[in-house]
Amino acid sequence: MKEWFGSAAVCINEKNEILMVKGYNSDMWAIPSGGIEEGETPEECCVREVLEETGYEVVIMDKLFIKKTTIKDIKVKTHYFKVKKVGESIGINDPDKIIEEVDWKLLSDIEKIKHAYPEDKEFLVNIIRNSVDTEKTLG
């Protein structure tokens, strides 16, 4: 069985919005993610993919979890990281030419948009809720 290894970035801004991307000919959103290239660490892949797909430079804050699944007979292992953006976007520079749109989504958006990976929806909703709760506690 073929294997695929990738990284995904959960980036929440100061308004508690989450960074999402949408591909061409699709109405489904996902967090920035992509395949790990030869010689690359999961962390390096995560930072590179966010830059390519959204134009944002990010730093890794935390390793969240590893999602293991099988898609069309391919064993998929994706490393999820919490990241923080540094500065503003320089624009999409996706070498794969698959990303059409980048947007910051509120909790209410996350609950109603179509997800490319529906299994991520609950986790994304929870991470935003936790971020909001943490702010209230710290505020």
Side-chain angles (χ1 to χ4, degrees):
M1 190 179 269
K2 243 180 102 175
E3 289 186 310
W4 183 91
F5 301 95
S7 293
V10 177
C11 185
I12 299 173
N13 68 11
E14 53 287 342
K15 298 178 198 156
N16 283 309
E17 296 167 322
I18 197 156
L19 187 60
M20 305 283 287
V21 295
K22 183 172 77 69
Y24 287 99
N25 305 317
S26 170
D27 59 354
M28 294 189 281
W29 292 85
I31 56 175
S33 62
I36 298 172
E37 295 178 352
E38 200 174 323
E40 210 176 32
T41 66
E43 290 82 358
E44 289 166 342
C45 170
C46 179
V47 169
R48 177 182 53 76
E49 286 291 344
V50 175
L51 184 60
E52 287 177 359
E53 294 187 357
T54 72
Y56 285 102
E57 251 184 79
V58 295
V59 289
I60 305 264
M61 303 302 287
D62 206 2
K63 189 169 191 161
L64 296 170
F65 60 91
I66 296 172
K67 179 170 81 175
K68 293 177 183 173
T69 186
T70 302
I71 301 171
K72 296 178 187 159
D73 291 336
I74 298 170
K75 282 174 79 170
V76 175
K77 186 174 167 184
T78 309
H79 298 258
Y80 279 64
F81 296 96
K82 187 168 185 182
V83 302
K84 184 179 172 186
K85 75 176 178 84
V86 182
E88 291 310 309
S89 173
I90 56 168
I92 300 170
N93 183 23
D94 177 22
D96 304 324
K97 304 273 184 258
I98 52 174
I99 302 302
E100 179 182 31
E101 198 178 333
V102 176
D103 199 11
W104 292 94
K105 298 290 186 188
L106 289 162
L107 176 59
S108 56
D109 300 322
I110 298 293
E111 291 177 317
K112 65 180 182 235
I113 59 174
K114 285 189 182 172
H115 290 264
Y117 304 98
E119 68 276 11
D120 285 1
K121 179 179 173 179
E122 188 182 341
F123 150 72
L124 293 173
V125 165
N126 288 335
I127 205 163
I128 293 175
R129 284 199 177 123
N130 290 342
S131 178
V132 171
D133 291 345
T134 304
E135 269 192 17
K136 284 180 185 157
T137 310
L138 297 174

